[in-house]
Amino acid sequence: MRFKLLLVFVILVILSTSTLAISANGDTKIFAVTEDEKGMAADLFLYSIPGSGEIAFFTSNSLVGKDTQSTGNIALQIAQTKSGINGDSYNYIFDIKANASEVDGPSAGAAMTLLMYSILSERTLPKDVAITGTINSDSSVGMVGGVYPKAKAASDIGIKLFMIPRGEANQVIRDGGVRSVNLLEYGPEKWGMKIVEVTTIDDVINYAYSDIEEIVVDTTTTSIGFIPPAIKY
């Protein structure tokens, strides 16, 4: 506990006294699912300051779990490879602003990697683009849970392009019944938001910096939704 308090103190000092030393910063939206299966959006900020390639996390009202912390290191490694920029002369601080007591899990890995890439490559990330998905060391985007409520939360805050892991377009929803929907079709029709499936971080970068209006979505999905039969009482 003392170590955590010391780390928070050090980060606060860095942010408050070294404002002029911040080399670059950026932000994006990340998404989670509450206990009652509702989607929620949070803000992910990233600051870079002169250092030695270290990753740190800071949250104003939440604890950050080990899975999220380890994901930050993977994000840096992949972003350096994809941008061709060696970021070892800087330290990177992720600041998560979420209405939650604890932030943990790898589901924001792809978003962290994309944000890190935008900082290293000095390409501003569009505000109307977002993603959910894990990131693996081979730069592939892994599956996550709660894709439908996360997509709904994204549309509620004005996201125009939402990227999801390949194989998760078919989602089972409950709206007076239980049915399967193809989010690649459902997103534009119901929410006015394009949804695309991605396999690797290369796909993510390509979509993120494309003209959304010109993106042609292949609505063919690679997964088959399962709807359990109704139970007769």
Side-chain angles (χ1 to χ4, degrees), residues 106-119:
S107 64
M112 293 165 64
T113 307
L114 178 59
L115 182 55
M116 181 70 75
Y117 171 86
S118 74
I119 293 294

Side-chain angles (χ1 to χ4, degrees), residues 34-151:
T34 63
E35 292 182 356
D36 58 351
E37 299 185 358
K38 301 293 185 182
M40 62 171 284
D43 294 294
L44 176 66
F45 295 88
L46 178 59
Y47 307 95
S48 66
I49 60 176
S52 56
E54 299 294 326
I55 297 288
F57 284 85
F58 174 73
T59 59
S60 55
N61 61 345
S62 306
L63 296 176
V64 178
K66 291 182 179 179
D67 285 342
T68 301
Q69 295 178 40
S70 61
T71 299
N73 292 312
I74 297 175
L76 174 58
Q77 294 169 10
I78 294 175
Q80 287 184 122
T81 300
K82 297 303 177 182
S83 65
I85 303 297
N86 187 330
D88 289 346
S89 58
Y90 294 91
N91 286 339
Y92 303 92
I93 302 172
F94 283 105
D95 181 6
I96 303 174
K97 297 187 183 301
N99 185 23
S101 59
E102 182 177 4
V103 177
D104 196 11
S107 64
M112 293 165 64
T113 307
L114 178 59
L115 182 55
M116 181 70 75
Y117 171 86
S118 74
I119 293 294
L120 294 178
S121 63
E122 299 182 346
R123 301 175 70 185
T124 302
L125 192 59
K127 300 295 184 184
D128 55 359
V129 171
I131 182 172
T132 184
T134 66
I135 190 68
N136 300 311
S137 56
D138 63 354
S139 80
S140 61
V141 177
M143 292 185 172
V144 294
V147 171
Y148 175 80
K150 290 176 181 178

Side-chain angles (χ1 to χ4, degrees), residues 116-222:
M116 181 70 75
Y117 171 86
S118 74
I119 293 294
L120 294 178
S121 63
E122 299 182 346
R123 301 175 70 185
T124 302
L125 192 59
K127 300 295 184 184
D128 55 359
V129 171
I131 182 172
T132 184
T134 66
I135 190 68
N136 300 311
S137 56
D138 63 354
S139 80
S140 61
V141 177
M143 292 185 172
V144 294
V147 171
Y148 175 80
K150 290 176 181 178
K152 176 64 168 59
S155 70
D156 289 342
I157 62 172
I159 297 298
K160 297 302 181 184
L161 175 66
F162 192 61
M163 295 174 275
I164 63 175
R166 183 164 297 281
E168 295 203 81
N170 281 345
Q171 293 287 308
V172 175
I173 67 173
R174 297 172 179 83
D175 56 352
V178 180
R179 64 190 179 102
S180 177
V181 298
N182 178 355
L183 289 181
L184 308 183
E185 299 173 340
Y186 190 90
E189 292 175 1
K190 298 295 184 179
W191 301 326
M193 177 180 72
K194 282 188 178 180
I195 299 179
V196 294
E197 290 184 305
V198 293
T199 303
T200 68
I201 199 65
D202 291 316
D203 298 333
V204 175
I205 294 171
N206 180 56
Y207 278 125
Y209 293 101
S210 295
D211 184 338
I212 297 176
E213 295 298 326
E214 295 183 358
I215 295 175
V216 177
V217 180
D218 180 1
T219 58
T220 303
T221 66
T222 57

